[in-house]
Amino acid sequence: MKKESKIFSTATSVASIIAASTMLWSVLPTTKVIDTHQHEYFSSILVNHLPLTDNLKIRWWKNNCRSILKEYKIPTPSRDGTYYITIWSFGEGYMEEDDHDRLCFHDMKVKNRCIKKDALLFINHSKNRGLILEIENRNYRIENDGSVTRLRNS
């Protein structure tokens, strides 16, 4: 009887963990691209709710890079294939340019064209280094087969 009780207790615990995880996942906000800005081969993507962990940010990029290319024409590489993308938090939205250290998009011809500088993810590609994602000074290379390698000294 004790063995059956222990199995039932373990099964109940596992089911509870799965249910709680599913509920938590369903209430977490999904990442939404709010706007994009392009200047030569430098791109800015403004988002709300980028995932919190490095692994989830990398997964988000890998899962969304094709649709971002299709919808926003990002990235736009230079002749040698180099490009830079910064994923920014849209945060409080567009604000006026003022004495604060804000990033302003001069392709916009409106008063509110600046955002608070809150970079969440840097993506760059070059012929020599390949595709590199930088998250808070940690660098990851996305290999041709899609695998991810964390680079040393980062």
Side-chain angles (χ1 to χ4, degrees), residues 58-95:
I58 292 166
R59 184 182 308 162
W60 177 84
W61 176 251
K62 288 171 67 175
N63 289 340
N64 290 280
C65 63
R66 285 189 179 91
S67 63
I68 289 171
L69 174 62
K70 185 177 178 181
E71 187 168 344
Y72 302 104
K73 309 297 186 249
I74 290 175
T76 304
S78 68
R79 282 186 229 182
D80 68 0
T82 300
Y83 61 81
Y84 302 91
I85 302 169
T86 304
I87 308 292
W88 300 94
S89 171
F90 191 59
E92 300 168 29
Y94 287 115
M95 300 172 258

PDB file of all heavy atoms in Angstrom, residues 58-95:
ATOM      1  N   ILE A  58      17.515  33.607 -27.410  1.00  0.00           N
ATOM      2  CA  ILE A  58      18.116  32.975 -28.588  1.00  0.00           C
ATOM      3  C   ILE A  58      17.048  32.189 -29.347  1.00  0.00           C
ATOM      4  O   ILE A  58      16.945  32.275 -30.580  1.00  0.00           O
ATOM      5  CB  ILE A  58      19.295  32.071 -28.181  1.00  0.00           C
ATOM      6  CG1 ILE A  58      20.450  32.936 -27.652  1.00  0.00           C
ATOM      7  CG2 ILE A  58      19.749  31.200 -29.350  1.00  0.00           C
ATOM      8  CD1 ILE A  58      21.527  32.155 -26.914  1.00  0.00           C
ATOM      9  N   ARG A  59      16.246  31.431 -28.649  1.00  0.00           N
ATOM     10  CA  ARG A  59      15.178  30.659 -29.289  1.00  0.00           C
ATOM     11  C   ARG A  59      14.196  31.594 -29.993  1.00  0.00           C
ATOM     12  O   ARG A  59      13.759  31.320 -31.111  1.00  0.00           O
ATOM     13  CB  ARG A  59      14.439  29.807 -28.265  1.00  0.00           C
ATOM     14  CG  ARG A  59      13.389  28.920 -28.936  1.00  0.00           C
ATOM     15  CD  ARG A  59      12.593  28.087 -27.979  1.00  0.00           C
ATOM     16  NE  ARG A  59      13.423  27.327 -27.088  1.00  0.00           N
ATOM     17  CZ  ARG A  59      13.000  26.782 -25.949  1.00  0.00           C
ATOM     18  NH1 ARG A  59      11.744  26.918 -25.575  1.00  0.00           N
ATOM     19  NH2 ARG A  59      13.803  26.093 -25.188  1.00  0.00           N
ATOM     20  N   TRP A  60      13.860  32.722 -29.331  1.00  0.00           N
ATOM     21  CA  TRP A  60      12.951  33.682 -29.958  1.00  0.00           C
ATOM     22  C   TRP A  60      13.537  34.162 -31.282  1.00  0.00           C
ATOM     23  O   TRP A  60      12.838  34.216 -32.298  1.00  0.00           O
ATOM     24  CB  TRP A  60      12.667  34.867 -29.033  1.00  0.00           C
ATOM     25  CG  TRP A  60      11.795  35.885 -29.696  1.00  0.00           C
ATOM     26  CD1 TRP A  60      10.436  35.868 -29.782  1.00  0.00           C
ATOM     27  CD2 TRP A  60      12.234  37.051 -30.422  1.00  0.00           C
ATOM     28  NE1 TRP A  60       9.995  36.954 -30.517  1.00  0.00           N
ATOM     29  CE2 TRP A  60      11.073  37.693 -30.910  1.00  0.00           C
ATOM     30  CE3 TRP A  60      13.469  37.613 -30.681  1.00  0.00           C
ATOM     31  CZ2 TRP A  60      11.141  38.853 -31.666  1.00  0.00           C
ATOM     32  CZ3 TRP A  60      13.529  38.777 -31.434  1.00  0.00           C
ATOM     33  CH2 TRP A  60      12.376  39.392 -31.909  1.00  0.00           C
ATOM     34  N   TRP A  61      14.824  34.543 -31.290  1.00  0.00           N
ATOM     35  CA  TRP A  61      15.442  35.027 -32.517  1.00  0.00           C
ATOM     36  C   TRP A  61      15.430  33.946 -33.594  1.00  0.00           C
ATOM     37  O   TRP A  61      15.042  34.194 -34.741  1.00  0.00           O
ATOM     38  CB  TRP A  61      16.866  35.530 -32.276  1.00  0.00           C
ATOM     39  CG  TRP A  61      17.490  35.925 -33.572  1.00  0.00           C
ATOM     40  CD1 TRP A  61      18.488  35.274 -34.242  1.00  0.00           C
ATOM     41  CD2 TRP A  61      17.117  37.023 -34.404  1.00  0.00           C
ATOM     42  NE1 TRP A  61      18.759  35.910 -35.428  1.00  0.00           N
ATOM     43  CE2 TRP A  61      17.927  36.988 -35.550  1.00  0.00           C
ATOM     44  CE3 TRP A  61      16.174  38.034 -34.287  1.00  0.00           C
ATOM     45  CZ2 TRP A  61      17.826  37.926 -36.572  1.00  0.00           C
ATOM     46  CZ3 TRP A  61      16.072  38.974 -35.308  1.00  0.00           C
ATOM     47  CH2 TRP A  61      16.892  38.918 -36.426  1.00  0.00           C
ATOM     48  N   LYS A  62      15.851  32.734 -33.228  1.00  0.00           N
ATOM     49  CA  LYS A  62      15.890  31.653 -34.210  1.00  0.00           C
ATOM     50  C   LYS A  62      14.503  31.365 -34.781  1.00  0.00           C
ATOM     51  O   LYS A  62      14.363  31.087 -35.968  1.00  0.00           O
ATOM     52  CB  LYS A  62      16.489  30.390 -33.578  1.00  0.00           C
ATOM     53  CG  LYS A  62      17.995  30.508 -33.345  1.00  0.00           C
ATOM     54  CD  LYS A  62      18.556  29.358 -32.539  1.00  0.00           C
ATOM     55  CE  LYS A  62      18.501  28.064 -33.275  1.00  0.00           C
ATOM     56  NZ  LYS A  62      19.157  26.961 -32.533  1.00  0.00           N
ATOM     57  N   ASN A  63      13.472  31.456 -33.956  1.00  0.00           N
ATOM     58  CA  ASN A  63      12.105  31.174 -34.398  1.00  0.00           C
ATOM     59  C   ASN A  63      11.487  32.314 -35.201  1.00  0.00           C
ATOM     60  O   ASN A  63      10.519  32.096 -35.933  1.00  0.00           O
ATOM     61  CB  ASN A  63      11.195  30.867 -33.207  1.00  0.00           C
ATOM     62  CG  ASN A  63      11.508  29.535 -32.577  1.00  0.00           C
ATOM     63  OD1 ASN A  63      12.126  28.667 -33.182  1.00  0.00           O
ATOM     64  ND2 ASN A  63      11.096  29.362 -31.334  1.00  0.00           N
ATOM     65  N   ASN A  64      12.012  33.532 -35.053  1.00  0.00           N
ATOM     66  CA  ASN A  64      11.373  34.697 -35.670  1.00  0.00           C
ATOM     67  C   ASN A  64      12.203  35.402 -36.731  1.00  0.00           C
ATOM     68  O   ASN A  64      11.686  36.296 -37.406  1.00  0.00           O
ATOM     69  CB  ASN A  64      10.975  35.700 -34.578  1.00  0.00           C
ATOM     70  CG  ASN A  64       9.834  35.173 -33.757  1.00  0.00           C
ATOM     71  OD1 ASN A  64       8.687  35.236 -34.159  1.00  0.00           O
ATOM     72  ND2 ASN A  64      10.154  34.604 -32.604  1.00  0.00           N
ATOM     73  N   CYS A  65      13.452  35.044 -36.907  1.00  0.00           N
ATOM     74  CA  CYS A  65      14.307  35.792 -37.842  1.00  0.00           C
ATOM     75  C   CYS A  65      13.786  35.733 -39.274  1.00  0.00           C
ATOM     76  O   CYS A  65      13.847  36.733 -39.994  1.00  0.00           O
ATOM     77  CB  CYS A  65      15.758  35.350 -37.745  1.00  0.00           C
ATOM     78  SG  CYS A  65      16.071  33.630 -38.187  1.00  0.00           S
ATOM     79  N   ARG A  66      13.234  34.617 -39.689  1.00  0.00           N
ATOM     80  CA  ARG A  66      12.715  34.518 -41.071  1.00  0.00           C
ATOM     81  C   ARG A  66      11.486  35.403 -41.272  1.00  0.00           C
ATOM     82  O   ARG A  66      11.356  36.066 -42.298  1.00  0.00           O
ATOM     83  CB  ARG A  66      12.403  33.067 -41.408  1.00  0.00           C
ATOM     84  CG  ARG A  66      13.644  32.248 -41.662  1.00  0.00           C
ATOM     85  CD  ARG A  66      13.323  30.859 -42.206  1.00  0.00           C
ATOM     86  NE  ARG A  66      14.536  30.126 -42.461  1.00  0.00           N
ATOM     87  CZ  ARG A  66      15.132  29.329 -41.585  1.00  0.00           C
ATOM     88  NH1 ARG A  66      14.615  29.161 -40.383  1.00  0.00           N
ATOM     89  NH2 ARG A  66      16.245  28.694 -41.894  1.00  0.00           N
ATOM     90  N   SER A  67      10.593  35.414 -40.298  1.00  0.00           N
ATOM     91  CA  SER A  67       9.396  36.255 -40.453  1.00  0.00           C
ATOM     92  C   SER A  67       9.761  37.733 -40.373  1.00  0.00           C
ATOM     93  O   SER A  67       9.148  38.570 -41.045  1.00  0.00           O
ATOM     94  CB  SER A  67       8.330  35.890 -39.415  1.00  0.00           C
ATOM     95  OG  SER A  67       8.795  36.123 -38.115  1.00  0.00           O
ATOM     96  N   ILE A  68      10.772  38.082 -39.569  1.00  0.00           N
ATOM     97  CA  ILE A  68      11.236  39.473 -39.498  1.00  0.00           C
ATOM     98  C   ILE A  68      11.850  39.883 -40.832  1.00  0.00           C
ATOM     99  O   ILE A  68      11.605  40.981 -41.334  1.00  0.00           O
ATOM    100  CB  ILE A  68      12.208  39.661 -38.318  1.00  0.00           C
ATOM    101  CG1 ILE A  68      11.427  39.575 -36.995  1.00  0.00           C
ATOM    102  CG2 ILE A  68      12.970  40.974 -38.432  1.00  0.00           C
ATOM    103  CD1 ILE A  68      12.281  39.530 -35.757  1.00  0.00           C
ATOM    104  N   LEU A  69      12.627  38.989 -41.439  1.00  0.00           N
ATOM    105  CA  LEU A  69      13.188  39.275 -42.770  1.00  0.00           C
ATOM    106  C   LEU A  69      12.070  39.482 -43.779  1.00  0.00           C
ATOM    107  O   LEU A  69      12.081  40.444 -44.550  1.00  0.00           O
ATOM    108  CB  LEU A  69      14.102  38.129 -43.217  1.00  0.00           C
ATOM    109  CG  LEU A  69      14.632  38.227 -44.652  1.00  0.00           C
ATOM    110  CD1 LEU A  69      15.483  39.484 -44.832  1.00  0.00           C
ATOM    111  CD2 LEU A  69      15.427  36.984 -45.006  1.00  0.00           C
ATOM    112  N   LYS A  70      11.089  38.607 -43.755  1.00  0.00           N
ATOM    113  CA  LYS A  70       9.988  38.684 -44.724  1.00  0.00           C
ATOM    114  C   LYS A  70       9.153  39.948 -44.533  1.00  0.00           C
ATOM    115  O   LYS A  70       8.848  40.656 -45.491  1.00  0.00           O
ATOM    116  CB  LYS A  70       9.110  37.446 -44.583  1.00  0.00           C
ATOM    117  CG  LYS A  70       8.012  37.361 -45.598  1.00  0.00           C
ATOM    118  CD  LYS A  70       7.217  36.072 -45.437  1.00  0.00           C
ATOM    119  CE  LYS A  70       6.085  36.017 -46.432  1.00  0.00           C
ATOM    120  NZ  LYS A  70       5.294  34.800 -46.280  1.00  0.00           N
ATOM    121  N   GLU A  71       8.790  40.255 -43.281  1.00  0.00           N
ATOM    122  CA  GLU A  71       7.889  41.376 -43.027  1.00  0.00           C
ATOM    123  C   GLU A  71       8.583  42.731 -43.019  1.00  0.00           C
ATOM    124  O   GLU A  71       8.036  43.718 -43.510  1.00  0.00           O
ATOM    125  CB  GLU A  71       7.168  41.175 -41.693  1.00  0.00           C
ATOM    126  CG  GLU A  71       6.106  42.219 -41.447  1.00  0.00           C
ATOM    127  CD  GLU A  71       5.198  41.869 -40.282  1.00  0.00           C
ATOM    128  OE1 GLU A  71       5.182  40.712 -39.839  1.00  0.00           O
ATOM    129  OE2 GLU A  71       4.493  42.786 -39.820  1.00  0.00           O
ATOM    130  N   TYR A  72       9.802  42.797 -42.468  1.00  0.00           N
ATOM    131  CA  TYR A  72      10.454  44.100 -42.275  1.00  0.00           C
ATOM    132  C   TYR A  72      11.716  44.287 -43.124  1.00  0.00           C
ATOM    133  O   TYR A  72      12.363  45.323 -43.035  1.00  0.00           O
ATOM    134  CB  TYR A  72      10.817  44.285 -40.802  1.00  0.00           C
ATOM    135  CG  TYR A  72       9.626  44.181 -39.890  1.00  0.00           C
ATOM    136  CD1 TYR A  72       9.408  43.032 -39.120  1.00  0.00           C
ATOM    137  CD2 TYR A  72       8.700  45.216 -39.792  1.00  0.00           C
ATOM    138  CE1 TYR A  72       8.315  42.932 -38.279  1.00  0.00           C
ATOM    139  CE2 TYR A  72       7.602  45.122 -38.960  1.00  0.00           C
ATOM    140  CZ  TYR A  72       7.418  43.969 -38.202  1.00  0.00           C
ATOM    141  OH  TYR A  72       6.324  43.872 -37.374  1.00  0.00           O
ATOM    142  N   LYS A  73      12.096  43.274 -43.876  1.00  0.00           N
ATOM    143  CA  LYS A  73      13.311  43.324 -44.708  1.00  0.00           C
ATOM    144  C   LYS A  73      14.558  43.551 -43.861  1.00  0.00           C
ATOM    145  O   LYS A  73      15.463  44.286 -44.228  1.00  0.00           O
ATOM    146  CB  LYS A  73      13.200  44.394 -45.795  1.00  0.00           C
ATOM    147  CG  LYS A  73      11.948  44.345 -46.634  1.00  0.00           C
ATOM    148  CD  LYS A  73      11.843  43.061 -47.420  1.00  0.00           C
ATOM    149  CE  LYS A  73      10.658  43.082 -48.366  1.00  0.00           C
ATOM    150  NZ  LYS A  73       9.587  42.194 -48.014  1.00  0.00           N
ATOM    151  N   ILE A  74      14.583  42.923 -42.695  1.00  0.00           N
ATOM    152  CA  ILE A  74      15.722  42.989 -41.775  1.00  0.00           C
ATOM    153  C   ILE A  74      16.244  41.580 -41.596  1.00  0.00           C
ATOM    154  O   ILE A  74      15.450  40.669 -41.328  1.00  0.00           O
ATOM    155  CB  ILE A  74      15.289  43.577 -40.418  1.00  0.00           C
ATOM    156  CG1 ILE A  74      14.960  45.061 -40.569  1.00  0.00           C
ATOM    157  CG2 ILE A  74      16.357  43.374 -39.358  1.00  0.00           C
ATOM    158  CD1 ILE A  74      14.403  45.702 -39.319  1.00  0.00           C
ATOM    159  N   PRO A  75      17.539  41.392 -41.768  1.00  0.00           N
ATOM    160  CA  PRO A  75      18.598  42.383 -41.926  1.00  0.00           C
ATOM    161  C   PRO A  75      18.784  42.815 -43.386  1.00  0.00           C
ATOM    162  O   PRO A  75      18.347  42.139 -44.303  1.00  0.00           O
ATOM    163  CB  PRO A  75      19.847  41.642 -41.453  1.00  0.00           C
ATOM    164  CG  PRO A  75      19.576  40.216 -41.794  1.00  0.00           C
ATOM    165  CD  PRO A  75      18.087  40.037 -41.608  1.00  0.00           C
ATOM    166  N   THR A  76      19.469  43.948 -43.514  1.00  0.00           N
ATOM    167  CA  THR A  76      19.904  44.430 -44.814  1.00  0.00           C
ATOM    168  C   THR A  76      21.431  44.439 -44.794  1.00  0.00           C
ATOM    169  O   THR A  76      22.038  45.371 -44.281  1.00  0.00           O
ATOM    170  CB  THR A  76      19.366  45.852 -45.085  1.00  0.00           C
ATOM    171  OG1 THR A  76      17.945  45.828 -44.962  1.00  0.00           O
ATOM    172  CG2 THR A  76      19.755  46.333 -46.463  1.00  0.00           C
ATOM    173  N   PRO A  77      22.048  43.381 -45.285  1.00  0.00           N
ATOM    174  CA  PRO A  77      23.508  43.272 -45.187  1.00  0.00           C
ATOM    175  C   PRO A  77      24.245  44.235 -46.112  1.00  0.00           C
ATOM    176  O   PRO A  77      23.720  44.655 -47.143  1.00  0.00           O
ATOM    177  CB  PRO A  77      23.793  41.823 -45.606  1.00  0.00           C
ATOM    178  CG  PRO A  77      22.487  41.149 -45.772  1.00  0.00           C
ATOM    179  CD  PRO A  77      21.434  42.193 -45.857  1.00  0.00           C
ATOM    180  N   SER A  78      25.477  44.540 -45.728  1.00  0.00           N
ATOM    181  CA  SER A  78      26.362  45.314 -46.590  1.00  0.00           C
ATOM    182  C   SER A  78      26.831  44.399 -47.726  1.00  0.00           C
ATOM    183  O   SER A  78      26.484  43.213 -47.766  1.00  0.00           O
ATOM    184  CB  SER A  78      27.558  45.827 -45.785  1.00  0.00           C
ATOM    185  OG  SER A  78      28.379  44.730 -45.400  1.00  0.00           O
ATOM    186  N   ARG A  79      27.639  44.911 -48.617  1.00  0.00           N
ATOM    187  CA  ARG A  79      28.124  44.114 -49.753  1.00  0.00           C
ATOM    188  C   ARG A  79      28.874  42.861 -49.314  1.00  0.00           C
ATOM    189  O   ARG A  79      28.804  41.837 -49.966  1.00  0.00           O
ATOM    190  CB  ARG A  79      29.039  44.948 -50.638  1.00  0.00           C
ATOM    191  CG  ARG A  79      28.284  45.869 -51.524  1.00  0.00           C
ATOM    192  CD  ARG A  79      29.223  46.541 -52.457  1.00  0.00           C
ATOM    193  NE  ARG A  79      28.901  47.961 -52.395  1.00  0.00           N
ATOM    194  CZ  ARG A  79      29.483  48.873 -53.093  1.00  0.00           C
ATOM    195  NH1 ARG A  79      30.453  48.555 -53.905  1.00  0.00           N
ATOM    196  NH2 ARG A  79      29.124  50.129 -52.983  1.00  0.00           N
ATOM    197  N   ASP A  80      29.587  42.959 -48.191  1.00  0.00           N
ATOM    198  CA  ASP A  80      30.357  41.793 -47.731  1.00  0.00           C
ATOM    199  C   ASP A  80      29.562  40.889 -46.783  1.00  0.00           C
ATOM    200  O   ASP A  80      30.095  39.937 -46.223  1.00  0.00           O
ATOM    201  CB  ASP A  80      31.670  42.225 -47.079  1.00  0.00           C
ATOM    202  CG  ASP A  80      31.482  42.949 -45.759  1.00  0.00           C
ATOM    203  OD1 ASP A  80      30.332  43.141 -45.317  1.00  0.00           O
ATOM    204  OD2 ASP A  80      32.508  43.318 -45.153  1.00  0.00           O
ATOM    205  N   GLY A  81      28.273  41.173 -46.613  1.00  0.00           N
ATOM    206  CA  GLY A  81      27.422  40.319 -45.787  1.00  0.00           C
ATOM    207  C   GLY A  81      27.305  40.739 -44.334  1.00  0.00           C
ATOM    208  O   GLY A  81      26.606  40.100 -43.555  1.00  0.00           O
ATOM    209  N   THR A  82      27.969  41.817 -43.960  1.00  0.00           N
ATOM    210  CA  THR A  82      27.943  42.291 -42.572  1.00  0.00           C
ATOM    211  C   THR A  82      26.621  43.001 -42.285  1.00  0.00           C
ATOM    212  O   THR A  82      26.116  43.753 -43.117  1.00  0.00           O
ATOM    213  CB  THR A  82      29.103  43.280 -42.319  1.00  0.00           C
ATOM    214  OG1 THR A  82      30.334  42.596 -42.576  1.00  0.00           O
ATOM    215  CG2 THR A  82      29.090  43.815 -40.904  1.00  0.00           C
ATOM    216  N   TYR A  83      26.074  42.741 -41.096  1.00  0.00           N
ATOM    217  CA  TYR A  83      24.920  43.509 -40.628  1.00  0.00           C
ATOM    218  C   TYR A  83      24.896  43.509 -39.108  1.00  0.00           C
ATOM    219  O   TYR A  83      25.510  42.677 -38.457  1.00  0.00           O
ATOM    220  CB  TYR A  83      23.598  42.984 -41.196  1.00  0.00           C
ATOM    221  CG  TYR A  83      23.248  41.562 -40.855  1.00  0.00           C
ATOM    222  CD1 TYR A  83      22.670  41.218 -39.632  1.00  0.00           C
ATOM    223  CD2 TYR A  83      23.482  40.545 -41.777  1.00  0.00           C
ATOM    224  CE1 TYR A  83      22.335  39.908 -39.339  1.00  0.00           C
ATOM    225  CE2 TYR A  83      23.145  39.233 -41.485  1.00  0.00           C
ATOM    226  CZ  TYR A  83      22.574  38.917 -40.269  1.00  0.00           C
ATOM    227  OH  TYR A  83      22.243  37.623 -39.980  1.00  0.00           O
ATOM    228  N   TYR A  84      24.182  44.507 -38.578  1.00  0.00           N
ATOM    229  CA  TYR A  84      24.024  44.680 -37.137  1.00  0.00           C
ATOM    230  C   TYR A  84      22.552  44.928 -36.831  1.00  0.00           C
ATOM    231  O   TYR A  84      21.921  45.758 -37.480  1.00  0.00           O
ATOM    232  CB  TYR A  84      24.838  45.882 -36.631  1.00  0.00           C
ATOM    233  CG  TYR A  84      26.308  45.771 -36.922  1.00  0.00           C
ATOM    234  CD1 TYR A  84      26.843  46.295 -38.100  1.00  0.00           C
ATOM    235  CD2 TYR A  84      27.156  45.128 -36.039  1.00  0.00           C
ATOM    236  CE1 TYR A  84      28.197  46.183 -38.384  1.00  0.00           C
ATOM    237  CE2 TYR A  84      28.513  45.020 -36.318  1.00  0.00           C
ATOM    238  CZ  TYR A  84      29.025  45.540 -37.495  1.00  0.00           C
ATOM    239  OH  TYR A  84      30.358  45.419 -37.766  1.00  0.00           O
ATOM    240  N   ILE A  85      22.041  44.211 -35.858  1.00  0.00           N
ATOM    241  CA  ILE A  85      20.663  44.387 -35.423  1.00  0.00           C
ATOM    242  C   ILE A  85      20.678  44.581 -33.917  1.00  0.00           C
ATOM    243  O   ILE A  85      21.357  43.827 -33.207  1.00  0.00           O
ATOM    244  CB  ILE A  85      19.797  43.153 -35.757  1.00  0.00           C
ATOM    245  CG1 ILE A  85      19.815  42.870 -37.261  1.00  0.00           C
ATOM    246  CG2 ILE A  85      18.373  43.333 -35.239  1.00  0.00           C
ATOM    247  CD1 ILE A  85      19.211  41.526 -37.628  1.00  0.00           C
ATOM    248  N   THR A  86      19.944  45.566 -33.446  1.00  0.00           N
ATOM    249  CA  THR A  86      19.763  45.737 -32.005  1.00  0.00           C
ATOM    250  C   THR A  86      18.287  45.592 -31.707  1.00  0.00           C
ATOM    251  O   THR A  86      17.443  46.215 -32.357  1.00  0.00           O
ATOM    252  CB  THR A  86      20.254  47.117 -31.534  1.00  0.00           C
ATOM    253  OG1 THR A  86      21.621  47.285 -31.930  1.00  0.00           O
ATOM    254  CG2 THR A  86      20.151  47.234 -30.020  1.00  0.00           C
ATOM    255  N   ILE A  87      17.989  44.733 -30.740  1.00  0.00           N
ATOM    256  CA  ILE A  87      16.620  44.575 -30.261  1.00  0.00           C
ATOM    257  C   ILE A  87      16.495  45.480 -29.038  1.00  0.00           C
ATOM    258  O   ILE A  87      17.239  45.325 -28.064  1.00  0.00           O
ATOM    259  CB  ILE A  87      16.311  43.110 -29.861  1.00  0.00           C
ATOM    260  CG1 ILE A  87      16.679  42.132 -30.969  1.00  0.00           C
ATOM    261  CG2 ILE A  87      14.855  42.978 -29.426  1.00  0.00           C
ATOM    262  CD1 ILE A  87      15.852  42.188 -32.209  1.00  0.00           C
ATOM    263  N   TRP A  88      15.599  46.443 -29.101  1.00  0.00           N
ATOM    264  CA  TRP A  88      15.386  47.424 -28.036  1.00  0.00           C
ATOM    265  C   TRP A  88      14.045  47.182 -27.358  1.00  0.00           C
ATOM    266  O   TRP A  88      13.073  46.825 -28.017  1.00  0.00           O
ATOM    267  CB  TRP A  88      15.361  48.841 -28.604  1.00  0.00           C
ATOM    268  CG  TRP A  88      16.602  49.284 -29.299  1.00  0.00           C
ATOM    269  CD1 TRP A  88      16.868  49.212 -30.638  1.00  0.00           C
ATOM    270  CD2 TRP A  88      17.749  49.885 -28.705  1.00  0.00           C
ATOM    271  NE1 TRP A  88      18.107  49.727 -30.902  1.00  0.00           N
ATOM    272  CE2 TRP A  88      18.676  50.147 -29.732  1.00  0.00           C
ATOM    273  CE3 TRP A  88      18.089  50.225 -27.396  1.00  0.00           C
ATOM    274  CZ2 TRP A  88      19.913  50.740 -29.505  1.00  0.00           C
ATOM    275  CZ3 TRP A  88      19.320  50.815 -27.165  1.00  0.00           C
ATOM    276  CH2 TRP A  88      20.217  51.064 -28.205  1.00  0.00           C
ATOM    277  N   SER A  89      13.987  47.463 -26.074  1.00  0.00           N
ATOM    278  CA  SER A  89      12.702  47.468 -25.374  1.00  0.00           C
ATOM    279  C   SER A  89      11.949  48.729 -25.781  1.00  0.00           C
ATOM    280  O   SER A  89      12.500  49.828 -25.721  1.00  0.00           O
ATOM    281  CB  SER A  89      12.915  47.463 -23.861  1.00  0.00           C
ATOM    282  OG  SER A  89      11.695  47.670 -23.196  1.00  0.00           O
ATOM    283  N   PHE A  90      10.711  48.564 -26.201  1.00  0.00           N
ATOM    284  CA  PHE A  90       9.893  49.729 -26.548  1.00  0.00           C
ATOM    285  C   PHE A  90       9.452  50.458 -25.280  1.00  0.00           C
ATOM    286  O   PHE A  90       9.201  51.660 -25.299  1.00  0.00           O
ATOM    287  CB  PHE A  90       8.687  49.301 -27.383  1.00  0.00           C
ATOM    288  CG  PHE A  90       7.935  50.444 -27.989  1.00  0.00           C
ATOM    289  CD1 PHE A  90       8.546  51.329 -28.849  1.00  0.00           C
ATOM    290  CD2 PHE A  90       6.596  50.622 -27.708  1.00  0.00           C
ATOM    291  CE1 PHE A  90       7.856  52.383 -29.415  1.00  0.00           C
ATOM    292  CE2 PHE A  90       5.881  51.671 -28.265  1.00  0.00           C
ATOM    293  CZ  PHE A  90       6.514  52.553 -29.128  1.00  0.00           C
ATOM    294  N   GLY A  91       9.396  49.726 -24.173  1.00  0.00           N
ATOM    295  CA  GLY A  91       9.138  50.315 -22.859  1.00  0.00           C
ATOM    296  C   GLY A  91       7.956  51.251 -22.820  1.00  0.00           C
ATOM    297  O   GLY A  91       6.830  50.869 -23.079  1.00  0.00           O
ATOM    298  N   GLU A  92       8.233  52.507 -22.517  1.00  0.00           N
ATOM    299  CA  GLU A  92       7.187  53.522 -22.363  1.00  0.00           C
ATOM    300  C   GLU A  92       6.747  54.106 -23.700  1.00  0.00           C
ATOM    301  O   GLU A  92       5.935  55.027 -23.738  1.00  0.00           O
ATOM    302  CB  GLU A  92       7.703  54.636 -21.461  1.00  0.00           C
ATOM    303  CG  GLU A  92       8.085  54.159 -20.072  1.00  0.00           C
ATOM    304  CD  GLU A  92       8.858  55.216 -19.282  1.00  0.00           C
ATOM    305  OE1 GLU A  92       8.658  56.422 -19.521  1.00  0.00           O
ATOM    306  OE2 GLU A  92       9.673  54.798 -18.442  1.00  0.00           O
ATOM    307  N   GLY A  93       7.314  53.631 -24.777  1.00  0.00           N
ATOM    308  CA  GLY A  93       6.930  54.109 -26.102  1.00  0.00           C
ATOM    309  C   GLY A  93       7.800  55.262 -26.566  1.00  0.00           C
ATOM    310  O   GLY A  93       8.814  55.600 -25.956  1.00  0.00           O
ATOM    311  N   TYR A  94       7.382  55.851 -27.666  1.00  0.00           N
ATOM    312  CA  TYR A  94       8.123  56.985 -28.219  1.00  0.00           C
ATOM    313  C   TYR A  94       7.949  58.210 -27.346  1.00  0.00           C
ATOM    314  O   TYR A  94       6.863  58.476 -26.840  1.00  0.00           O
ATOM    315  CB  TYR A  94       7.638  57.300 -29.632  1.00  0.00           C
ATOM    316  CG  TYR A  94       8.068  56.291 -30.666  1.00  0.00           C
ATOM    317  CD1 TYR A  94       7.135  55.507 -31.322  1.00  0.00           C
ATOM    318  CD2 TYR A  94       9.411  56.133 -30.997  1.00  0.00           C
ATOM    319  CE1 TYR A  94       7.523  54.590 -32.290  1.00  0.00           C
ATOM    320  CE2 TYR A  94       9.811  55.220 -31.947  1.00  0.00           C
ATOM    321  CZ  TYR A  94       8.860  54.453 -32.588  1.00  0.00           C
ATOM    322  OH  TYR A  94       9.249  53.549 -33.541  1.00  0.00           O
ATOM    323  N   MET A  95       9.050  58.944 -27.179  1.00  0.00           N
ATOM    324  CA  MET A  95       9.066  60.157 -26.363  1.00  0.00           C
ATOM    325  C   MET A  95       9.737  61.280 -27.156  1.00  0.00           C
ATOM    326  O   MET A  95      10.393  61.025 -28.161  1.00  0.00           O
ATOM    327  CB  MET A  95       9.851  59.911 -25.074  1.00  0.00           C
ATOM    328  CG  MET A  95       9.296  58.809 -24.205  1.00  0.00           C
ATOM    329  SD  MET A  95      10.416  58.460 -22.838  1.00  0.00           S
ATOM    330  CE  MET A  95      11.191  56.982 -23.455  1.00  0.00           C
TER     331      MET A  95
END
